[in-house]
Amino acid sequence: MQHRHWEIDSICPKCEKTNHLSVPEGNTVVRVHCEHCTHGYDYIHVVQEHSVVEDAS
């Protein structure tokens, strides 16, 4: 069975560093927890560009 997801890069509005994420295919709005900010920072990312990845399950 093939499983598809999207891989996206999201730039944190607080520290301006890139977070690389895998999200379920079709999710156009995702909540991101920045892995770079000292105490973490949550923000909403609207997916405009993505790469489709197929995994064998």
Side-chain angles (χ1 to χ4, degrees):
M1 179 177 171
Q2 294 288 330
H3 174 263
R4 294 173 66 164
H5 66 273
W6 290 348
E7 291 193 352
I8 62 171
D9 289 325
S10 176
I11 298 173
C12 176
K14 186 173 183 181
C15 71
E16 299 182 350
K17 293 184 180 175
T18 302
N19 293 287
H20 185 74
L21 307 165
S22 294
V23 298
E25 183 179 33
N27 281 18
T28 56
V29 178
V30 293
R31 184 180 188 119
V32 180
H33 181 78
C34 182
E35 58 190 50
H36 305 286
C37 289
T38 305
H39 298 291
Y41 180 72
D42 291 333
Y43 63 95
I44 301 296
H45 177 86
V46 177
V47 178
Q48 295 177 343
E49 297 180 19
H50 63 273
S51 300
V52 176
V53 178
E54 292 193 30
D55 293 328
S57 303

